Amino acid sequence: MGQTLLRVEGLSTVFATPTGPLTAVDGVDLTVSRGEVVAVVGESGCGKTMLALSILGLVPPPGRIVSGRAALGGVDVLALPESRRRQVRGKRAAMIFQEPMTALNPVLTIGEQVAEPLRVHAGASRRESLAAAEAMLARVGLPDPGRQLGSYPHELSGGQRQRVMIAMALMLGPELLIADEPTTALDVTVQGQILALMLDLARDAGTAILLVTHNLGVVAQTADRVAVMYAGRLVEEARVDTFFQGPAHPYSRGLLASLPRLDDPGRRLTPIPGTVPSLSALPTGCHFHPRCGEAFAPCADNAPPLFELPGGGQARCWLHGA
Amino acid sequence: MAHNTGPVLELAGLSRSFVSREGVLRRRERIVRAVSGVDLAVAPGETLGLVGESGCGKSTLARMAIGLLPPSAGTVRLGGLDPWDGASAVRKRLPRLAQMIFQDPYSSLNPRLPVGWTVAEGLRAAGGLSASQRRERVAELLAQVGLAPEHARRFPHQFSGGQRQRVAIARALALAPELIVCDEPVSALDVSVQAQVINLLADLKARHGLAYLFISHDLAVVGHLSDRVAVMYLGRIVELAAADALYARAAHPYTKALLAAVPGLDPGRRRPAALAGETPSPAAVPSGCAFHPRCDLAEPRCAAQSPALTEIAPGHFARCLRLI
């Protein structure tokens, strides 16, 4: 892959609660190269969405980024004043969400919303921006785009709304697209269409994608690299092909063994025992150790660092320590 | 269980329509045909999987199967009994024939009651047990689903999602029913916990000879648990076969597309999108074969003729003119 586009270093996001601070994102390091698709995968509460929001400085209160940087093309987005950060979010990075209905404005037409980035950030006229919006809606495969310019979000299906979100996000040709569970609310046949669309358009424009998902199948089908999160920490990072041949972290292995598979329906599933810990009661040492079948002496007391793996990639597990 | 040798559940010509009021003044009425002419039977000890995408009518079918929703046409028979019979003997028998578990256990458990009370609800209604016998039975039920007796005193919010689904399963088991209708029982759970609940459902089936009507949008989960699988599209069963036959030799173009759309775990085999377009609204079901506007193989006759569900191989049924 090419040159580094996004470099996240030591990023931590903490939520102040009446019972004490909760660390939602705990010292995450992550890079995304230009044009690369990196998936962040994990179960609910692992911090993957909060990581995505933190990178663009969009953490909702009472959350707060307490340390780290997120450099996009060498510029630390988090160190910028909010006005400049907004410019970055408009032009260089864009985000799409799981439920487009909540991200679209229900009282504005599709045309106005898709055209807006061009007017606000590029100073285009109303007529120019609407023409560009129509062209973009055609590219995302919305049927009858000229007429849909005047439609409202509630008049579209879920899949069509997600197409509109993709059109809006790609309007200014961002270098980075952050997509948070973009197909989770969609039916499986529509999911395939939307993922293919997002990947095709991004590839054409050279846009890198940071894809947040809980679905390992989606990771396998779309990403170049994968980062696995557990309880706020990044626990494994690898190329997708090596990861699916044999992940290094016991949590990653547990996730794959838990999945029912179409190609092996009779196999008894091997679940991970226990449940995902609450952020208010995280285990000491490696957060995964109480559920880990391979835990040994150091795991309960000492949090492992990310160890480099011989075949590339990294795992936060003492099994891979020297 | 011994006295019932026929199917635990038999649906014949089952249909359900709803009237949807639309427009600003809600004066425009449209008939939504959620379920159309479904014939299905579940044998004792069998798991029948039912898959389909949102709006295909699978949850409406589930609610009719358990007697929660009256059909517009057709019949439901649970252990040979009509849930809408109204006779008190039938009403008393129904809870021992079939129970249901839902996608979101949080909304199906009373938040103000300790879960032991909820699990014992059916036992109290059925009568015949003393309070201490009921407590004993609740402890036994909780143990069967992997919870401890002291969990009976806790409230739903004190449990994780997976544990709450275990509580809902314990409640469903309380009267030792022959059939449990499961409507997306693991869809709200994280993968690692989902596998625990899937294994639990498989173990309970083996131990009690339970039958399941197992409804899900997730083809891998359904394939994992089911003996036979029915595929639904816009209110109709479009294919029905033994699970291994369906997954190995899917015949209906919709089933094939559905299977091809599941993102596989092999990054070396990336597949293009399997199907164009989106499912039409059940208020505007296309003429002829309802799938024809999205079907690559559609011929002119597919728009005009509505195919019947036809046996194309022993025990393998499909609703497609091109396969007849």
Side-chain angles (χ1 to χ4, degrees), chain A residues 43-44 157 159-160 187-193 214-223 240-241 244 255-256 258-262 265-269 271-276 291, chain B residues 53-54 160 163 190-196 198-200 202-203 217 219-221 223-224 247 254 257-259 261-267 269-271 273 275-279 294:
Chain A
E43 298 180 284
S44 42
S157 71
Q160 289 173 340
D187 275 326
V188 65
T189 56
V190 179
Q191 164 175 288
Q193 298 167 9
H214 71 284
N215 186 325
L216 285 162
V218 167
V219 175
Q221 293 292 314
T222 58
V240 160
D241 43 5
F244 283 96
L255 279 181
L256 280 175
S258 306
L259 278 179
R261 300 174 72 141
L262 281 178
R267 177 182 59 102
R268 183 162 174 92
L269 305 178
I272 302 175
T275 53
V276 176
R291 304 178 72 192
Chain B
E53 297 181 284
S54 45
S160 68
Q163 287 175 318
D190 275 319
V191 197
S192 68
V193 176
Q194 171 180 295
Q196 297 170 9
I198 289 173
N199 283 353
L200 174 66
D203 293 344
H217 70 285
L219 285 112
V221 170
H224 191 82
Y247 287 79
Y254 177 64
L258 209 50
L259 284 167
V262 177
L265 291 175
D266 182 355
R269 284 182 44 213
R270 295 196 175 173
R271 291 167 308 201
L275 195 58
E278 296 184 35
T279 310
R294 301 176 78 192

Coordinates of all heavy atoms in Angstrom, one line a residue, chain A residues 43-44 157 159-160 187-193 214-223 240-241 244 255-256 258-262 265-269 271-276 291, chain B residues 53-54 160 163 190-196 198-200 202-203 217 219-221 223-224 247 254 257-259 261-267 269-271 273 275-279 294:
Chain A
E43 N -17.2 -6.5 19.2 CA -18.6 -6.6 19.6 C -19.1 -5.3 20.2 O -18.4 -4.4 20.4 CB -18.7 -7.8 20.6 CG -18.3 -9.1 20.0 CD -18.3 -10.3 20.9 OE1 -17.4 -10.4 21.8 OE2 -19.3 -11.0 20.9
S44 N -20.4 -5.3 20.6 CA -20.9 -4.1 21.1 C -20.2 -3.6 22.4 O -19.8 -4.4 23.2 CB -22.4 -4.2 21.4 OG -22.7 -5.4 22.0
S157 N -36.4 4.1 0.5 CA -36.2 2.9 1.2 C -34.8 3.0 2.0 O -34.0 3.9 1.7 CB -36.1 1.7 0.3 OG -34.9 1.7 -0.4
G159 N -32.2 1.2 1.8 CA -31.0 1.0 0.9 C -30.8 2.3 0.1 O -29.7 2.7 -0.1
Q160 N -31.9 2.9 -0.3 CA -31.8 4.2 -1.1 C -31.2 5.3 -0.2 O -30.4 6.1 -0.7 CB -33.1 4.6 -1.7 CG -33.6 3.6 -2.8 CD -35.0 3.9 -3.3 OE1 -35.8 4.5 -2.6 NE2 -35.3 3.5 -4.5
D187 N -31.1 -5.3 4.7 CA -31.2 -6.8 4.4 C -30.0 -7.2 3.6 O -29.3 -6.5 3.0 CB -32.5 -7.0 3.5 CG -33.7 -7.1 4.3 OD1 -33.7 -7.7 5.4 OD2 -34.8 -6.7 3.8
V188 N -29.8 -8.5 3.7 CA -28.5 -9.1 3.2 C -28.3 -8.9 1.7 O -27.2 -8.6 1.3 CB -28.3 -10.6 3.6 CG1 -29.4 -11.5 3.0 CG2 -27.0 -11.1 3.3
T189 N -29.4 -8.9 0.9 CA -29.2 -8.7 -0.5 C -28.9 -7.3 -0.8 O -28.2 -7.0 -1.8 CB -30.4 -9.2 -1.3 OG1 -31.6 -8.5 -0.8 CG2 -30.7 -10.7 -1.2
V190 N -29.4 -6.4 0.0 CA -29.1 -4.9 -0.2 C -27.7 -4.6 0.3 O -27.0 -3.8 -0.2 CB -30.2 -4.1 0.4 CG1 -29.9 -2.6 0.3 CG2 -31.6 -4.4 -0.2
Q191 N -27.4 -5.3 1.4 CA -26.0 -5.1 2.0 C -25.0 -5.2 1.0 O -24.0 -4.4 0.9 CB -25.9 -6.0 3.2 CG -24.4 -6.2 3.6 CD -24.3 -7.1 4.8 OE1 -24.6 -6.7 5.9 NE2 -23.8 -8.3 4.6
G192 N -25.1 -6.3 0.2 CA -24.0 -6.6 -0.8 C -24.0 -5.5 -1.8 O -22.9 -5.1 -2.2
Q193 N -25.1 -5.0 -2.2 CA -25.1 -3.9 -3.2 C -24.4 -2.6 -2.7 O -23.6 -2.0 -3.4 CB -26.6 -3.5 -3.6 CG -27.4 -4.6 -4.2 CD -28.9 -4.2 -4.2 OE1 -29.3 -3.1 -3.9 NE2 -29.7 -5.2 -4.6
H214 N -19.3 -5.1 13.0 CA -19.3 -6.3 13.9 C -19.3 -7.6 13.1 O -19.2 -8.6 13.6 CB -20.5 -6.3 14.8 CG -21.8 -6.6 14.1 ND1 -22.4 -5.7 13.2 CD2 -22.4 -7.8 14.0 CE1 -23.4 -6.3 12.7 NE2 -23.5 -7.6 13.1
N215 N -19.4 -7.4 11.7 CA -19.6 -8.6 10.9 C -18.3 -9.0 10.2 O -17.8 -8.4 9.3 CB -20.7 -8.2 9.8 CG -21.1 -9.4 9.0 OD1 -20.3 -10.3 8.7 ND2 -22.3 -9.4 8.6
L216 N -17.8 -10.2 10.6 CA -16.5 -10.7 10.1 C -16.6 -11.0 8.6 O -15.6 -11.0 7.9 CB -16.0 -11.9 10.9 CG -15.4 -11.5 12.3 CD1 -15.4 -12.7 13.2 CD2 -14.0 -10.9 12.2
G217 N -17.8 -11.4 8.2 CA -18.0 -11.7 6.7 C -17.8 -10.4 5.9 O -17.1 -10.5 4.9
V218 N -18.3 -9.3 6.4 CA -18.2 -8.1 5.7 C -16.7 -7.7 5.7 O -16.2 -7.2 4.7 CB -19.0 -7.0 6.4 CG1 -18.6 -5.6 5.9 CG2 -20.5 -7.2 6.2
V219 N -16.0 -7.9 6.8 CA -14.5 -7.7 6.8 C -13.8 -8.4 5.7 O -13.0 -7.9 4.9 CB -13.9 -8.0 8.2 CG1 -12.4 -7.8 8.2 CG2 -14.6 -7.2 9.3
A220 N -14.1 -9.8 5.7 CA -13.4 -10.6 4.7 C -13.7 -10.2 3.3 O -12.8 -10.3 2.4 CB -13.8 -12.1 4.9
Q221 N -14.9 -9.7 3.0 CA -15.3 -9.4 1.7 C -14.8 -8.0 1.2 O -14.9 -7.7 0.0 CB -16.8 -9.5 1.5 CG -17.4 -10.9 1.7 CD -16.9 -11.8 0.5 OE1 -17.0 -11.4 -0.7 NE2 -16.5 -13.0 0.8
T222 N -14.5 -7.1 2.2 CA -14.2 -5.7 1.8 C -12.8 -5.2 2.1 O -12.3 -4.3 1.4 CB -15.2 -4.8 2.4 OG1 -15.1 -4.9 3.8 CG2 -16.6 -5.1 2.0
A223 N -12.2 -5.7 3.2 CA -11.1 -4.9 3.8 C -9.7 -5.4 3.3 O -9.6 -6.6 2.9 CB -11.1 -5.0 5.3
V240 N -5.9 -8.9 6.0 CA -7.1 -9.7 6.0 C -6.8 -11.1 5.6 O -7.3 -12.1 6.2 CB -8.2 -9.0 5.2 CG1 -9.3 -10.0 4.8 CG2 -8.8 -7.9 5.9
D241 N -6.0 -11.3 4.6 CA -5.7 -12.7 4.2 C -5.1 -13.5 5.3 O -5.4 -14.6 5.6 CB -5.0 -12.8 2.9 CG -3.8 -11.8 2.8 OD1 -3.6 -11.1 3.8 OD2 -3.2 -11.7 1.7
F244 N -7.6 -14.2 8.3 CA -8.7 -15.3 8.2 C -8.0 -16.7 8.0 O -8.7 -17.7 8.1 CB -9.6 -15.0 7.0 CG -10.6 -13.9 7.4 CD1 -10.4 -12.6 7.1 CD2 -11.8 -14.3 8.2 CE1 -11.4 -11.6 7.6 CE2 -12.7 -13.3 8.6 CZ -12.5 -12.0 8.3
L255 N -13.8 -15.4 18.2 CA -14.9 -14.9 17.4 C -15.2 -15.7 16.2 O -16.3 -16.0 15.8 CB -14.5 -13.5 16.9 CG -14.7 -12.3 17.9 CD1 -14.2 -11.0 17.2 CD2 -16.1 -12.2 18.3
L256 N -14.1 -16.2 15.5 CA -14.3 -17.0 14.3 C -14.9 -18.3 14.6 O -15.7 -18.8 13.9 CB -12.9 -17.2 13.6 CG -12.5 -16.0 12.7 CD1 -11.1 -16.2 12.2 CD2 -13.4 -15.7 11.6
S258 N -16.9 -18.9 17.0 CA -18.3 -18.7 17.4 C -19.3 -18.7 16.2 O -20.5 -18.8 16.5 CB -18.5 -17.4 18.2 OG -17.6 -17.3 19.2
L259 N -18.8 -18.4 15.1 CA -19.7 -18.1 13.9 C -20.2 -19.3 13.3 O -19.5 -20.2 12.9 CB -18.9 -17.3 12.9 CG -18.7 -15.8 13.1 CD1 -17.9 -15.3 11.9 CD2 -20.1 -15.1 13.1
P260 N -21.6 -19.4 13.2 CA -22.1 -20.5 12.3 C -21.7 -20.2 10.9 O -21.7 -19.0 10.5 CB -23.6 -20.4 12.5 CG -23.9 -19.1 13.2 CD -22.6 -18.5 13.7
R261 N -21.4 -21.2 10.1 CA -20.9 -21.0 8.8 C -21.8 -21.8 7.8 O -22.1 -22.9 8.0 CB -19.5 -21.4 8.6 CG -18.6 -20.7 9.6 CD -17.2 -21.2 9.5 NE -16.5 -20.9 8.3 CZ -15.2 -20.5 8.2 NH1 -14.5 -20.5 9.3 NH2 -14.7 -20.2 7.0
L262 N -22.0 -21.1 6.7 CA -22.8 -21.8 5.6 C -22.1 -23.0 5.1 O -22.8 -24.0 4.7 CB -23.0 -20.8 4.4 CG -24.1 -19.7 4.6 CD1 -24.1 -18.9 3.4 CD2 -25.5 -20.4 4.8
P265 N -22.4 -26.4 8.2 CA -23.5 -26.2 9.1 C -23.6 -27.1 10.3 O -24.2 -26.8 11.3 CB -24.7 -26.4 8.1 CG -24.2 -27.2 7.0 CD -22.7 -26.9 6.9
G266 N -23.1 -28.4 10.2 CA -23.3 -29.3 11.3 C -22.4 -29.1 12.5 O -22.7 -29.5 13.6
R267 N -21.3 -28.4 12.2 CA -20.2 -28.2 13.3 C -20.8 -27.6 14.6 O -21.6 -26.6 14.5 CB -19.1 -27.3 12.7 CG -18.0 -27.0 13.7 CD -17.0 -26.0 13.0 NE -17.7 -24.8 12.5 CZ -17.6 -23.6 13.2 NH1 -16.8 -23.5 14.2 NH2 -18.2 -22.6 12.7
R268 N -20.4 -28.2 15.7 CA -20.8 -27.5 17.0 C -20.0 -26.2 17.2 O -18.8 -26.2 17.0 CB -20.6 -28.5 18.1 CG -21.1 -27.9 19.4 CD -21.3 -28.9 20.5 NE -21.7 -28.2 21.8 CZ -22.9 -28.0 22.2 NH1 -23.9 -28.4 21.4 NH2 -23.2 -27.4 23.3
L269 N -20.7 -25.2 17.5 CA -20.1 -23.9 17.7 C -19.2 -23.9 19.0 O -19.6 -24.5 19.9 CB -21.1 -22.8 17.7 CG -22.0 -22.7 16.6 CD1 -23.0 -21.6 16.8 CD2 -21.3 -22.5 15.3
P271 N -18.4 -21.4 21.5 CA -18.6 -20.0 22.0 C -17.4 -19.5 22.9 O -16.7 -20.3 23.4 CB -19.8 -20.0 22.8 CG -20.3 -21.4 22.8 CD -19.2 -22.3 22.3
I272 N -17.3 -18.2 23.0 CA -16.3 -17.7 24.0 C -17.1 -17.7 25.3 O -18.2 -17.2 25.4 CB -15.9 -16.2 23.6 CG1 -15.3 -16.2 22.3 CG2 -15.0 -15.7 24.7 CD1 -14.9 -14.8 21.8
P273 N -16.6 -18.3 26.4 CA -17.3 -18.3 27.6 C -17.5 -16.9 28.2 O -16.7 -16.0 27.9 CB -16.5 -19.2 28.6 CG -15.1 -19.2 27.9 CD -15.3 -19.0 26.5
G274 N -18.5 -16.8 29.0 CA -18.7 -15.5 29.7 C -19.3 -14.4 28.8 O -19.7 -14.7 27.7
T275 N -19.2 -13.2 29.2 CA -19.8 -12.1 28.4 C -18.7 -11.0 28.3 O -17.8 -10.9 29.1 CB -21.1 -11.5 29.0 OG1 -20.8 -11.2 30.3 CG2 -22.2 -12.5 28.9
V276 N -19.0 -10.0 27.4 CA -18.1 -8.9 27.2 C -18.2 -8.1 28.6 O -19.3 -7.8 29.1 CB -18.6 -8.0 26.1 CG1 -17.8 -6.7 25.9 CG2 -18.6 -8.8 24.8
R291 N -11.9 -14.7 30.1 CA -12.7 -15.5 29.1 C -11.7 -16.4 28.2 O -12.2 -17.0 27.3 CB -13.5 -14.6 28.2 CG -14.4 -13.7 29.0 CD -15.2 -12.7 28.0 NE -16.2 -13.5 27.2 CZ -16.8 -12.9 26.2 NH1 -16.5 -11.7 25.8 NH2 -17.7 -13.6 25.5
Chain B
E53 N -36.1 -12.0 4.3 CA -35.6 -10.6 4.6 C -36.8 -9.8 5.3 O -37.9 -10.3 5.4 CB -35.1 -9.9 3.3 CG -33.9 -10.6 2.7 CD -33.4 -10.0 1.5 OE1 -34.0 -10.1 0.4 OE2 -32.4 -9.3 1.6
S54 N -36.5 -8.6 5.7 CA -37.5 -7.9 6.4 C -38.7 -7.6 5.5 O -38.6 -7.4 4.3 CB -37.0 -6.5 6.9 OG -36.2 -5.9 5.9
S160 N -27.1 -9.6 31.4 CA -26.6 -9.2 30.1 C -27.7 -9.7 29.1 O -28.6 -10.5 29.4 CB -25.3 -9.9 29.8 OG -25.5 -11.3 29.7
Q163 N -27.9 -13.5 28.9 CA -28.5 -14.1 30.1 C -30.0 -13.9 30.1 O -30.8 -14.7 30.4 CB -27.9 -13.5 31.3 CG -26.5 -14.0 31.6 CD -25.9 -13.2 32.8 OE1 -26.1 -12.0 33.0 NE2 -25.3 -14.0 33.7
D190 N -24.4 -10.4 20.6 CA -23.1 -10.4 20.0 C -22.6 -11.8 19.6 O -23.1 -12.8 20.3 CB -22.1 -9.8 21.0 CG -22.0 -8.3 21.0 OD1 -22.1 -7.8 19.9 OD2 -22.0 -7.7 22.1
V191 N -21.8 -11.9 18.6 CA -21.4 -13.2 18.1 C -20.9 -14.2 19.2 O -21.3 -15.4 19.1 CB -20.1 -13.1 17.1 CG1 -20.0 -14.3 16.3 CG2 -20.2 -11.8 16.3
S192 N -20.1 -13.7 20.1 CA -19.6 -14.7 21.1 C -20.7 -15.3 22.0 O -20.6 -16.4 22.4 CB -18.4 -14.1 21.9 OG -18.9 -13.1 22.8
V193 N -21.7 -14.5 22.2 CA -22.8 -14.9 23.1 C -23.8 -15.6 22.3 O -24.5 -16.6 22.8 CB -23.4 -13.6 23.8 CG1 -24.6 -14.0 24.6 CG2 -22.3 -13.0 24.7
Q194 N -24.0 -15.2 21.1 CA -24.9 -15.8 20.1 C -24.6 -17.3 20.0 O -25.6 -18.2 20.1 CB -24.8 -15.2 18.8 CG -25.6 -15.9 17.7 CD -25.4 -15.2 16.3 OE1 -25.8 -14.1 16.1 NE2 -24.8 -15.9 15.4
A195 N -23.4 -17.7 20.0 CA -23.0 -19.1 19.8 C -23.4 -19.9 21.1 O -23.8 -21.0 21.0 CB -21.5 -19.2 19.6
Q196 N -23.3 -19.2 22.3 CA -23.7 -19.9 23.5 C -25.2 -20.2 23.5 O -25.6 -21.3 23.8 CB -23.5 -19.0 24.7 CG -22.0 -18.7 25.0 CD -21.9 -17.6 26.1 OE1 -22.8 -17.2 26.7 NE2 -20.6 -17.1 26.2
I198 N -27.2 -20.5 20.8 CA -27.4 -21.5 19.7 C -27.1 -22.9 20.2 O -27.9 -23.8 20.1 CB -26.6 -21.2 18.5 CG1 -27.1 -19.9 17.8 CG2 -26.6 -22.4 17.5 CD1 -26.2 -19.5 16.6
N199 N -26.0 -23.1 20.9 CA -25.7 -24.4 21.5 C -26.7 -24.8 22.5 O -27.1 -26.0 22.6 CB -24.3 -24.4 22.1 CG -23.2 -24.4 21.0 OD1 -23.4 -24.6 19.8 ND2 -21.9 -24.3 21.4
L200 N -27.1 -23.8 23.3 CA -28.1 -24.2 24.4 C -29.4 -24.7 23.7 O -30.0 -25.7 24.1 CB -28.4 -22.9 25.2 CG -29.6 -23.0 26.2 CD1 -29.2 -24.1 27.3 CD2 -29.9 -21.7 26.9
A202 N -29.7 -26.1 20.8 CA -29.5 -27.4 20.3 C -29.5 -28.5 21.4 O -30.1 -29.6 21.2 CB -28.1 -27.4 19.5
D203 N -28.9 -28.2 22.5 CA -28.8 -29.1 23.6 C -30.2 -29.4 24.2 O -30.6 -30.5 24.5 CB -28.0 -28.6 24.8 CG -26.5 -28.5 24.4 OD1 -26.1 -29.1 23.4 OD2 -25.8 -27.8 25.1
H217 N -33.4 -14.0 9.9 CA -32.9 -13.5 8.6 C -31.5 -14.0 8.3 O -31.0 -13.8 7.2 CB -32.9 -12.0 8.7 CG -31.8 -11.5 9.5 ND1 -31.8 -11.5 10.9 CD2 -30.5 -11.0 9.2 CE1 -30.7 -11.0 11.4 NE2 -29.9 -10.7 10.4
L219 N -29.0 -16.7 7.4 CA -29.0 -18.1 6.8 C -28.1 -19.0 7.5 O -28.3 -20.2 7.5 CB -28.7 -17.9 5.3 CG -29.8 -17.4 4.5 CD1 -29.4 -16.0 4.0 CD2 -30.1 -18.3 3.4
A220 N -27.0 -18.5 8.0 CA -26.0 -19.4 8.6 C -26.5 -20.0 9.9 O -26.4 -21.2 10.2 CB -24.7 -18.7 8.8
V221 N -27.2 -19.1 10.7 CA -27.8 -19.5 12.0 C -28.9 -20.6 11.7 O -28.9 -21.6 12.3 CB -28.3 -18.3 12.8 CG1 -29.1 -18.8 14.0 CG2 -27.2 -17.5 13.2
G223 N -29.3 -22.5 9.1 CA -28.8 -23.7 8.5 C -28.1 -24.6 9.6 O -28.2 -25.8 9.6
H224 N -27.6 -23.9 10.6 CA -26.9 -24.6 11.7 C -27.9 -25.4 12.5 O -27.5 -26.4 13.0 CB -26.2 -23.5 12.5 CG -25.2 -24.1 13.5 ND1 -23.9 -24.5 13.1 CD2 -25.3 -24.5 14.8 CE1 -23.4 -25.1 14.1 NE2 -24.2 -25.0 15.2
Y247 N -29.1 -25.9 1.2 CA -27.8 -25.2 1.2 C -26.9 -25.7 0.1 O -26.1 -24.9 -0.5 CB -27.1 -25.2 2.5 CG -27.8 -24.3 3.5 CD1 -29.0 -24.7 4.2 CD2 -27.4 -23.0 3.8 CE1 -29.7 -23.8 5.0 CE2 -28.1 -22.1 4.6 CZ -29.2 -22.6 5.2 OH -29.9 -21.7 6.1
Y254 N -34.4 -16.9 -5.9 CA -34.3 -16.0 -4.8 C -33.4 -16.7 -3.7 O -32.5 -16.0 -3.1 CB -35.6 -15.7 -4.2 CG -35.6 -14.9 -2.9 CD1 -35.0 -13.6 -3.0 CD2 -36.0 -15.4 -1.7 CE1 -34.9 -12.8 -1.8 CE2 -35.9 -14.6 -0.5 CZ -35.3 -13.3 -0.6 OH -35.2 -12.6 0.5
A257 N -29.8 -16.3 -4.7 CA -29.3 -15.0 -4.5 C -29.1 -14.7 -3.0 O -28.1 -14.1 -2.6 CB -30.3 -14.0 -5.1
L258 N -30.0 -15.2 -2.2 CA -29.9 -14.9 -0.7 C -28.6 -15.6 -0.2 O -27.8 -15.0 0.6 CB -31.1 -15.6 -0.1 CG -31.7 -15.0 1.2 CD1 -31.8 -13.5 1.2 CD2 -33.0 -15.7 1.5
L259 N -28.4 -16.8 -0.6 CA -27.2 -17.6 -0.2 C -25.9 -16.9 -0.7 O -24.9 -16.7 0.0 CB -27.2 -19.0 -0.7 CG -28.2 -19.9 0.1 CD1 -28.4 -21.2 -0.6 CD2 -27.6 -20.2 1.5
A261 N -25.5 -13.8 -1.3 CA -25.3 -12.5 -0.7 C -24.7 -12.5 0.7 O -24.2 -11.5 1.2 CB -26.7 -11.8 -0.6
V262 N -24.7 -13.7 1.3 CA -24.1 -13.8 2.7 C -22.6 -13.6 2.5 O -22.0 -14.4 1.8 CB -24.4 -15.1 3.3 CG1 -23.7 -15.3 4.7 CG2 -25.9 -15.3 3.5
P263 N -22.0 -12.6 3.2 CA -20.6 -12.4 3.0 C -19.8 -13.5 3.7 O -19.9 -13.8 4.8 CB -20.3 -11.0 3.7 CG -21.5 -10.8 4.6 CD -22.6 -11.6 4.0
G264 N -19.0 -14.2 2.8 CA -18.3 -15.4 3.3 C -17.0 -15.0 4.0 O -16.6 -13.8 4.0
L265 N -16.4 -15.9 4.7 CA -15.2 -15.6 5.6 C -13.9 -15.8 4.8 O -12.8 -15.8 5.4 CB -15.2 -16.4 6.8 CG -16.3 -16.1 7.8 CD1 -16.4 -17.1 9.0 CD2 -16.2 -14.7 8.3
D266 N -14.0 -16.0 3.5 CA -12.7 -16.2 2.7 C -12.4 -15.0 1.9 O -13.0 -14.7 0.9 CB -13.0 -17.4 1.8 CG -11.7 -17.8 1.0 OD1 -10.7 -17.0 1.1 OD2 -11.7 -18.8 0.4
P267 N -11.4 -14.2 2.3 CA -11.1 -13.0 1.6 C -10.6 -13.2 0.2 O -10.6 -12.4 -0.7 CB -9.9 -12.3 2.4 CG -9.8 -13.2 3.6 CD -10.5 -14.5 3.4
R269 N -12.1 -15.1 -1.9 CA -13.2 -15.3 -2.8 C -14.2 -14.2 -2.6 O -15.2 -14.3 -1.9 CB -13.9 -16.7 -2.5 CG -13.0 -17.8 -3.1 CD -13.7 -19.2 -2.8 NE -15.1 -19.1 -3.1 CZ -16.0 -19.9 -2.4 NH1 -15.6 -20.6 -1.4 NH2 -17.3 -19.8 -2.7
R270 N -13.9 -13.1 -3.1 CA -14.9 -11.9 -3.0 C -15.9 -12.0 -4.1 O -15.5 -12.3 -5.3 CB -14.1 -10.6 -3.0 CG -13.2 -10.5 -1.8 CD -12.7 -9.1 -1.6 NE -12.0 -9.2 -0.3 CZ -11.3 -8.1 0.2 NH1 -11.3 -7.0 -0.5 NH2 -10.7 -8.2 1.3
R271 N -17.1 -11.8 -3.8 CA -18.2 -12.0 -4.8 C -18.9 -10.7 -5.1 O -19.0 -9.8 -4.2 CB -19.2 -13.0 -4.2 CG -18.6 -14.4 -4.2 CD -19.5 -15.3 -3.4 NE -19.7 -14.7 -2.1 CZ -20.1 -15.4 -1.0 NH1 -20.3 -16.7 -1.1 NH2 -20.4 -14.8 0.1
A273 N -22.2 -8.3 -5.9 CA -23.5 -8.2 -5.4 C -24.4 -9.2 -6.1 O -24.3 -9.3 -7.4 CB -24.1 -6.8 -5.5
L275 N -27.8 -9.6 -6.2 CA -29.2 -9.3 -6.6 C -29.3 -7.8 -6.8 O -28.9 -7.1 -5.9 CB -30.1 -9.9 -5.5 CG -31.6 -10.1 -5.8 CD1 -31.8 -11.0 -7.0 CD2 -32.2 -10.6 -4.6
A276 N -30.0 -7.4 -7.8 CA -30.3 -6.0 -8.0 C -31.6 -5.6 -7.4 O -32.4 -6.5 -7.1 CB -30.3 -5.7 -9.5
G277 N -31.8 -4.4 -7.1 CA -33.1 -3.9 -6.7 C -33.4 -4.3 -5.2 O -32.6 -4.9 -4.6
E278 N -34.5 -3.8 -4.7 CA -34.9 -4.1 -3.4 C -36.2 -4.8 -3.3 O -37.0 -4.7 -4.3 CB -35.0 -2.8 -2.6 CG -33.6 -2.1 -2.5 CD -33.6 -0.9 -1.7 OE1 -34.3 -0.8 -0.7 OE2 -32.9 0.1 -2.0
T279 N -36.5 -5.4 -2.2 CA -37.8 -6.1 -2.1 C -39.0 -5.1 -2.2 O -38.9 -4.1 -1.5 CB -37.9 -6.8 -0.7 OG1 -36.7 -7.6 -0.5 CG2 -39.1 -7.7 -0.6
R294 N -37.0 -8.9 -10.0 CA -35.6 -8.9 -9.6 C -34.9 -10.2 -10.1 O -33.7 -10.4 -9.8 CB -35.5 -9.0 -8.1 CG -36.2 -7.8 -7.4 CD -36.1 -7.9 -5.9 NE -34.8 -7.5 -5.4 CZ -34.4 -7.8 -4.1 NH1 -35.3 -8.4 -3.3 NH2 -33.3 -7.4 -3.7

